[in-house]
Amino acid sequence: MFNRPWLMTQEWHDVLFLHWSVSADELRKHIPSELELDLYNNKAWIGLIFFRVKGNRLRLIPPIPGVGAFLEINLRTYVTYKGRAGIHIFSLDVNNPFIVKLATLRNFLPYQNAKICCKRRNNVFTIKSKRSDKNAHPENLITSFEVVSQIIERSHFEQWLTERYHLWTKPKDHLFRVDTMHSPWKLQNVTGTIQENTMGSLLKSNFQGKPPIAHYSKKKKARVFSPIKES
């Protein structure tokens, strides 16, 4: 897919996708002006994604103790830039302060410290997250879910939500693209409840109180490429 060496590799485990439709007019206020919202059936979408990161390391370098594994929850929307489809990230909460320090150099990506735990009992997962940075807006998530199907045959919409290989970020005055490579997602249906959700407080549409479209994927190995400055 990409004709240059990858920079970093990770494994993503127990991936939970939660999606809500939201107002396109409201979302446009919060993305870089160079990007266009990617709509599906004239609707904009917010994705809240949880996963366990394992095997996090740079190319040709063995894993560094303390940064190889962590939990992450990111909030994203779907955008395009010059014909490419991808994502724009609003927040990335992780339970590893060292990862936050590295990733927030020059404000490149909006990482935040959070207390995150994920427990599994039989086939039921429970995720609890509470943002812990004193200067950040407090955002919490408590949800439980159960995987209720084998791997499904994905619809066009489900592929549209999940098969995203480009991320755009705009620290200061320049737009950058980060490319990711992995095999297609293998999705399973889930059922569950959300006990608390204050993520995405920058939006006023109260999407958090609505039932999401939810999917699960057991594992994915990904390779991440070095950022490219867009022209």
Coordinates of all heavy atoms in Angstrom, one line a residue, residues 19 37-41 43-45 76 78-79 85 154-164:
H19 N -20.1 3.9 17.5 CA -20.3 5.0 16.6 C -21.7 5.6 16.7 O -22.7 4.9 17.0 CB -20.2 4.4 15.1 CG -18.8 4.2 14.7 ND1 -18.3 2.9 14.7 CD2 -17.9 5.0 14.3 CE1 -17.0 3.0 14.2 NE2 -16.7 4.3 14.0
L37 N -15.5 17.0 5.8 CA -16.2 15.9 6.5 C -16.6 14.8 5.5 O -17.1 15.1 4.4 CB -17.4 16.4 7.2 CG -17.2 17.1 8.6 CD1 -18.6 17.5 9.1 CD2 -16.6 16.1 9.6
D38 N -16.3 13.6 5.9 CA -16.7 12.5 5.0 C -18.1 12.0 5.5 O -18.2 11.5 6.7 CB -15.7 11.4 5.1 CG -15.8 10.3 4.0 OD1 -16.7 10.5 3.2 OD2 -15.1 9.3 4.1
L39 N -19.1 12.2 4.8 CA -20.5 11.9 5.2 C -20.9 10.5 4.6 O -20.5 10.1 3.5 CB -21.4 12.9 4.8 CG -21.1 14.4 5.2 CD1 -22.2 15.3 4.7 CD2 -20.9 14.5 6.7
Y40 N -21.8 9.8 5.3 CA -22.4 8.6 4.8 C -23.9 8.8 4.8 O -24.5 9.0 5.9 CB -22.0 7.4 5.7 CG -22.4 6.1 5.0 CD1 -21.4 5.5 4.2 CD2 -23.6 5.5 5.1 CE1 -21.7 4.3 3.5 CE2 -23.9 4.3 4.5 CZ -22.9 3.7 3.7 OH -23.2 2.5 3.0
N41 N -24.6 8.7 3.7 CA -26.0 9.0 3.6 C -26.3 10.4 4.2 O -27.3 10.6 4.9 CB -26.8 8.0 4.2 CG -26.8 6.7 3.4 OD1 -26.5 6.7 2.2 ND2 -27.2 5.6 4.0
K43 N -24.9 11.9 6.5 CA -24.7 12.1 8.0 C -23.2 12.0 8.3 O -22.5 11.3 7.7 CB -25.4 10.9 8.7 CG -27.0 10.9 8.6 CD -27.5 9.8 9.4 CE -29.1 9.8 9.3 NZ -29.7 8.6 10.1
A44 N -22.9 12.8 9.3 CA -21.5 12.8 9.9 C -21.5 11.8 11.0 O -22.5 11.6 11.7 CB -21.1 14.2 10.4
W45 N -20.3 11.2 11.3 CA -20.2 10.2 12.3 C -19.1 10.4 13.3 O -18.0 10.9 12.9 CB -20.1 8.8 11.7 CG -21.3 8.4 11.0 CD1 -21.8 8.8 9.8 CD2 -22.4 7.6 11.6 NE1 -23.0 8.2 9.5 CE2 -23.4 7.5 10.6 CE3 -22.5 6.9 12.8 CZ2 -24.6 6.8 10.8 CZ3 -23.7 6.2 13.0 CH2 -24.7 6.1 12.0
R76 N -12.9 10.1 17.4 CA -12.5 10.5 16.0 C -13.7 10.8 15.2 O -14.9 10.4 15.5 CB -11.7 9.4 15.3 CG -12.5 8.2 15.0 CD -11.6 7.0 14.6 NE -12.3 6.0 13.9 CZ -11.8 4.8 13.6 NH1 -10.5 4.6 13.8 NH2 -12.5 3.9 12.9
Y78 N -14.7 11.4 10.6 CA -14.3 10.9 9.3 C -14.2 12.0 8.3 O -15.2 12.8 8.2 CB -15.3 9.8 8.9 CG -15.2 8.7 9.9 CD1 -16.3 8.6 10.9 CD2 -14.2 7.8 10.0 CE1 -16.2 7.6 11.9 CE2 -14.1 6.8 11.0 CZ -15.1 6.8 11.9 OH -15.1 5.8 12.9
V79 N -13.1 12.1 7.6 CA -12.8 13.2 6.8 C -12.1 12.8 5.5 O -11.7 11.6 5.4 CB -11.8 14.2 7.6 CG1 -12.5 14.8 8.8 CG2 -10.5 13.5 7.9
A85 N -9.6 9.3 2.0 CA -10.5 9.2 3.1 C -9.7 8.8 4.3 O -8.8 7.9 4.2 CB -11.6 8.3 2.8
R154 N -19.2 -8.0 6.5 CA -19.4 -6.6 6.8 C -20.2 -5.9 5.6 O -20.0 -6.2 4.5 CB -18.0 -5.9 6.9 CG -17.2 -6.4 8.0 CD -15.8 -5.8 7.9 NE -15.2 -6.0 6.6 CZ -14.1 -5.3 6.1 NH1 -13.6 -4.3 6.8 NH2 -13.6 -5.6 5.0
S155 N -21.1 -5.0 6.0 CA -21.8 -4.2 5.0 C -20.8 -3.1 4.5 O -19.8 -2.9 5.1 CB -23.0 -3.6 5.7 OG -22.6 -2.6 6.7
H156 N -21.3 -2.4 3.5 CA -20.5 -1.3 2.9 C -20.3 -0.2 4.0 O -19.2 0.4 4.2 CB -21.2 -0.7 1.7 CG -20.4 0.4 1.1 ND1 -20.7 1.7 1.5 CD2 -19.4 0.5 0.2 CE1 -19.8 2.5 0.8 NE2 -19.1 1.8 0.0
F157 N -21.4 0.0 4.8 CA -21.3 1.0 5.8 C -20.3 0.6 6.9 O -19.5 1.4 7.4 CB -22.7 1.2 6.4 CG -22.7 2.2 7.6 CD1 -22.2 3.4 7.5 CD2 -23.3 1.8 8.8 CE1 -22.3 4.3 8.5 CE2 -23.4 2.7 9.9 CZ -22.8 4.0 9.7
E158 N -20.3 -0.7 7.3 CA -19.4 -1.1 8.3 C -17.9 -1.0 7.9 O -17.0 -0.7 8.6 CB -19.7 -2.5 8.8 CG -21.0 -2.6 9.6 CD -21.6 -4.0 9.7 OE1 -21.4 -4.8 8.8 OE2 -22.2 -4.3 10.7
Q159 N -17.7 -1.3 6.6 CA -16.3 -1.1 6.0 C -16.0 0.4 6.0 O -14.8 0.8 6.3 CB -16.3 -1.7 4.6 CG -16.4 -3.2 4.5 CD -16.3 -3.7 3.1 OE1 -15.4 -3.3 2.4 NE2 -17.3 -4.5 2.7
W160 N -16.9 1.2 5.7 CA -16.7 2.7 5.6 C -16.3 3.2 7.0 O -15.4 4.1 7.1 CB -18.0 3.4 5.1 CG -17.9 4.8 5.0 CD1 -17.5 5.5 3.9 CD2 -18.2 5.8 6.0 NE1 -17.6 6.9 4.1 CE2 -18.0 7.1 5.4 CE3 -18.7 5.8 7.3 CZ2 -18.2 8.3 6.1 CZ3 -18.9 6.9 8.0 CH2 -18.7 8.2 7.4
L161 N -16.9 2.7 8.1 CA -16.6 3.2 9.4 C -15.2 2.7 9.9 O -14.5 3.5 10.6 CB -17.6 2.6 10.4 CG -19.0 3.2 10.4 CD1 -19.9 2.4 11.3 CD2 -19.0 4.7 10.8
T162 N -14.8 1.6 9.5 CA -13.6 1.0 10.1 C -12.3 0.9 9.2 O -11.2 1.0 9.8 CB -13.9 -0.5 10.5 OG1 -14.4 -1.2 9.4 CG2 -15.0 -0.5 11.6
E163 N -12.5 0.8 7.9 CA -11.3 0.7 7.1 C -10.8 2.1 6.7 O -11.0 2.7 5.7 CB -11.6 0.0 5.8 CG -12.1 -1.4 6.0 CD -11.0 -2.3 6.7 OE1 -9.8 -2.0 6.6 OE2 -11.4 -3.3 7.3
R164 N -10.0 2.7 7.7 CA -9.4 4.0 7.6 C -7.9 3.9 7.8 O -7.4 3.5 8.8 CB -10.0 4.9 8.6 CG -11.6 5.1 8.5 CD -11.9 6.1 7.4 NE -13.3 6.0 7.0 CZ -13.9 7.0 6.4 NH1 -13.2 8.1 6.1 NH2 -15.2 6.9 6.0

